[in-house]
Amino acid sequence: MSDGVLGATEVRRAAATCSDFLGDAVDRDWSVSIPDLEMSVAGVVAHAAEGCLWYAIDLAAGGADLESVEHRVKPEAPNADLVATLNSCAVVVAAVIETSAETARGFHPMGTADPSGFAAMACDEMLIHTDDAARGLGSTFRPPEDMAGAVLGRLFPWVPLDGDPWELLQWANGRIPLGDRDRLEGWAWHCAPLAEWDGTVPTPPRRDP
């Protein structure tokens, strides 16, 4: 990563970080619900995998919103298979990012993303939902600070890096309160190129899992 540009390398690294953590918990009960989310541990892992695959499709589609496509990762699958699926979907989106031109763009409801934006979204999906899974299992997940800081700076450029990068990323994704900052009820990404950010905080379209 350089100058706020994330790529395939960062996606693969995030996938390895999350897969290692989740792989150590495959013997746990993943049907348990996650506090404050209407999803199970298995559900959020499946959701993160689906997100990565969607990003690969959307970037490859060159800006078209392919409503003809449906895909589903089965949360009822064995836990180890869900981890393997998450990693496999991350490999797919990393490959699409790596082979796309820097000027390529793809559809996303929060903006027309470039390869760096899709890489950052894939990382955010995996990191935040692995943290959700950890909360459901009563465990603690903490990715490397540089990884969290890179994703924060790319997707949430209005959030000053004035504290712990991981806690700031959790806060920006509406997961925790932080100091005098209330927990967010809604949030949004800036996934278009950073050069196109207008300096304002975007209006959250909705609260998303």
Side-chain angles (χ1 to χ4, degrees):
M1 185 200 71
S2 61
D3 299 325
V5 178
L6 282 77
T9 298
E10 287 72 35
V11 173
R12 294 186 187 107
R13 184 183 174 209
T17 298
C18 296
S19 294
D20 287 348
F21 177 87
L22 294 168
D24 287 340
V26 293
D27 59 344
R28 304 281 301 278
D29 179 7
W30 284 19
S31 68
V32 297
S33 298
I34 297 166
D36 303 321
L37 287 181
E38 295 180 359
M39 299 180 77
S40 66
V41 171
V44 294
V45 176
H47 177 80
E50 290 172 347
C52 288
L53 194 53
W54 268 121
Y55 299 150
I57 293 169
D58 286 336
L59 179 55
D65 180 10
L66 296 182
E67 296 183 359
S68 56
V69 177
E70 288 187 3
H71 69 266
R72 174 178 176 266
V73 175
K74 301 175 182 177
E76 63 271 19
N79 298 346
D81 288 356
L82 289 174
V83 178
T85 301
L86 175 63
N87 191 64
S88 298
C89 292
V91 168
V92 172
V93 71
V96 175
I97 290 165
E98 197 164 49
T99 55
S100 295
E102 291 183 5
T103 56
R105 303 292 281 266
F107 171 80
H108 191 274
M110 295 188 192
T112 306
D114 63 352
S116 176
F118 279 112
M121 289 189 290
C123 290
D124 197 57
E125 287 278 358
M126 290 187 283
L127 297 176
I128 292 299
H129 288 311
T130 297
D131 181 56
D132 290 336
R135 289 190 292 113
L137 295 171
S139 303
T140 300
F141 171 70
R142 184 176 180 85
E145 287 191 4
D146 65 315
M147 185 183 298
V151 175
L152 180 74
R154 180 60 184 81
L155 295 179
F156 304 96
W158 51 89
V159 177
L161 189 54
D162 57 3
D164 179 279
W166 174 231
E167 292 182 351
L168 286 165
L169 187 62
Q170 291 173 294
W171 174 79
N173 278 278
R175 285 334 194 246
I176 62 169
L178 187 60
D180 59 358
R181 299 165 168 150
D182 293 335
R183 180 176 177 178
L184 297 175
E185 291 298 320
W187 53 269
W189 286 326
H190 177 81
C191 54
L194 279 175
E196 297 179 9
W197 178 48
D198 63 7
T200 64
V201 179
T203 302
R206 58 188 170 84
R207 183 171 180 175
D208 194 72

